[in-house]
Amino acid sequence: MAIKLDNSQTDLPVLKPFNYSPAGQPGDLQFSRWLAEVPPHGFIGLLLLACLWPVIAAAQSNFTTTQAFEALWRWMPFLLTKGFLLNVVVSFLTMLIGTIAGILLGLGQISPINWLRRSCWFITQLFRNSPWLVLLFIVMLAFPFEIQIGDTIIPIPDWMKAVFGLSLPIMANIAEVVRGGVQSVSTGQWEAAESLAYTRQQTLWMIILPQCFKRMIPPWMNWYAILTMATPLISLLGVEEIITLSRQAMESEDNHPELLMPFFGFSLVIFFIYCYPIARLTMKLEKRFNVKG
Amino acid sequence: MTTHNWTPDQPLISIRDVHKSFGDLEVLKGITLDVRQGEVICIIGPSGSGKSTLIRCINALNPINSGSIKVEGQEVNDPKLDKLALRKKVGMVFQQYNLFPHKTALENIMMAPVKVLNEPVDEVEQRARKLMKRVNLIGKEDAYPGELSGGQQQRVAIARSLAMNPDVILFDEVTAALDPETVNEVLLAIKDLAQDGMTCILVTHEMGFAREVADHIYFTDRGVIVEHGPPATFFTEASDPRTQEFLSQIL
């Protein structure tokens, strides 16, 4: 007897589709839901956890936990204004580029023109299912470090290239959000507009998109939070964001192992403080829009 | 669109031997019927007999496989058909109303004439308000579809279709999704149109209504027209056993 297995309802990893990603499908809000479920005092717990490890290690050297936190305190303004700020700037710009490109790609996927729809589908699948870090390395190495327009040479800094690299998977996932949003509007709306002699373009812009716009906001925000959490990836490419700068700061403090937890714990807490309200807001909006239908 | 030498004394809609399949399933197996200007046609028959498909073919929502549908002399089964021009002449009202939920009742009515026909806004608004009055919905102009009952929404949908000044309106089981107590207000609105001389093609299960307003009744079953005639004789002198069986179940 054959057993019918529903992929979507199993916890067994082998039964998941091969492209199953821990971040969830573009439309669902798995990440935001998980983050929003952390109780508001959760980050204090994170801080306490961060303090624990140096206590154990303290016996091994004469550099104390207190000194480690003093070092962190000295570096904190620098890490925030030079480091984390860049993470935020990168996430903003990536989201901007990714959203614009993603909307175009998503609309391309519902185009009546066959070759356009197919190629948009292919591009979306390609960038959705590629490891982000691989995409980042390709962009980093393939892009020129400056471009020449006429006589002026415009340098492209590394962080700008990182923005392009991160934009690719964001674009593909936003494209899926847009496609899913448009397809969530009932076909009756298309038919009603068609029977009133609206063109396809008019139907899309006046009837369909205004209806699904609200529904696309929570998954869009979900992707923003995922992206922000992923920005430390660019430290592997030498971009001077919060993780790169933390490591440099620790080096200048003689690389005591007691520094590790305060410094990286600080980054963890900062990302949590930044993303947590976004996740809460995402879930709130999701609830509100769902009730209204 | 050229009128192809069509004159009002010829049938407004002329359907000849129309075949339509969805994959392997043939839903229309050679339908032929004529609708003259000002006529009210009711198409009745069991579920799945192809009634809705037939009227959706008239405004080219569904393409047909073979045969001919002419609306005012314009062939619908033509790859070069100007669908938009056709749909400006053929209105349609759906079972599920399909009002645009993000627009008010008045905006629903005004949108197409303003955006599609490019008519001046104040002129359209005047007409839309008159239509709201005609379907007995004064005071609901600024209500969103979600705030209206099924019967009210369906009357807005009728007004929305009328605002385009169509030559014929297709009604696709427009009372099937309604609560029994609101069916009548929608039927009254349609009856008002019919008496006003609007050409109407109705797919319906409301036999009493069909008998009252129709000029001609067609009974379809499994993709063919089994029997047709004016209501006076259709209900009393139905000769085909399939028609008799259907009528005995529904009356």
Side-chain angles (χ1 to χ4, degrees), chain A residues 29-40 43 46 84 87-88 91-92 95 132 218 220-232 242 266-284:
Chain A
L29 306 174
Q30 212 166 314
F31 178 76
S32 292
R33 190 167 294 123
W34 168 80
L35 190 56
E37 273 169 6
V38 178
F43 78 97
L46 281 178
F84 188 67
N87 290 67
V88 173
S91 71
F92 273 5
M95 208 57 194
W132 291 27
W220 180 80
M221 288 169 59
N222 184 51
W223 277 105
Y224 178 69
I226 291 173
L227 165 67
T228 309
M229 293 283 198
T231 51
I242 189 166
F266 173 69
S267 295
L268 205 61
V269 170
I270 287 298
F271 275 102
F272 181 82
I273 290 173
Y274 186 74
C275 290
Y276 183 67
I278 298 175
R280 291 292 283 230
L281 184 64
T282 304
M283 297 322 292
K284 207 172 138 188

Side-chain angles (χ1 to χ4, degrees), chain B residues 95-245:
Chain B
Q95 181 176 347
Q96 297 296 342
Y97 341 125
N98 294 345
L99 291 181
F100 305 135
H102 60 302
K103 297 284 177 185
T104 64
L106 198 66
E107 286 170 340
N108 260 283
I109 299 172
M110 289 175 60
M111 254 177 104
V114 172
K115 304 288 184 191
V116 176
L117 303 179
N118 291 317
E119 291 179 19
V121 178
D122 31 332
E123 217 171 273
V124 173
E125 186 173 342
Q126 262 186 349
R127 194 160 86 222
R129 288 189 187 280
K130 271 186 202 157
L131 285 168
M132 285 293 279
K133 190 178 171 191
R134 188 167 176 190
V135 294
N136 210 5
L137 280 173
I138 293 175
K140 297 288 183 191
E141 284 84 355
D142 298 323
Y144 284 90
E147 300 161 356
L148 298 172
S149 74
Q152 291 170 330
Q153 288 190 55
Q154 196 58 291
R155 283 181 283 152
V156 174
I158 292 170
R160 178 174 72 172
S161 181
L162 279 173
M164 295 288 280
N165 287 325
D167 294 340
V168 53
I169 300 187
L170 314 169
F171 293 89
D172 186 6
E173 302 199 34
V174 292
T175 55
L178 296 177
D179 295 329
E181 67 269 23
T182 61
V183 167
N184 218 29
E185 61 196 39
V186 173
L187 294 181
L188 275 173
I190 300 172
K191 194 173 152 189
D192 171 58
L193 287 185
Q195 284 169 346
D196 220 38
M198 173 61 78
T199 313
C200 298
I201 303 178
L202 294 104
V203 168
T204 185
H205 289 291
E206 301 286 334
M207 292 306 138
F209 180 71
R211 190 175 206 157
E212 198 183 337
V213 300
D215 294 306
H216 212 89
I217 293 179
Y218 288 85
F219 173 73
T220 60
D221 189 20
R222 284 167 230 158
V224 293
I225 293 173
V226 177
E227 204 158 3
H228 66 95
T233 55
F234 180 86
F235 286 102
T236 49
E237 294 162 27
S239 55
D240 192 280
R242 276 190 281 179
T243 321
Q244 285 170 348
E245 194 197 334

Side-chain angles (χ1 to χ4, degrees), chain A residues 105 119-131 135 168-169 171-172:
Chain A
L105 198 60
S119 40
C120 286
W121 175 85
F122 179 76
I123 294 169
T124 305
Q125 295 305 322
L126 180 70
F127 290 126
R128 261 189 71 202
N129 295 308
S130 303
L135 292 176
L168 294 173
M171 166 190 78

Side-chain angles (χ1 to χ4, degrees), chain A residues 51 59 70 150 227:
Chain A
C51 302
E70 274 167 11
L227 165 67

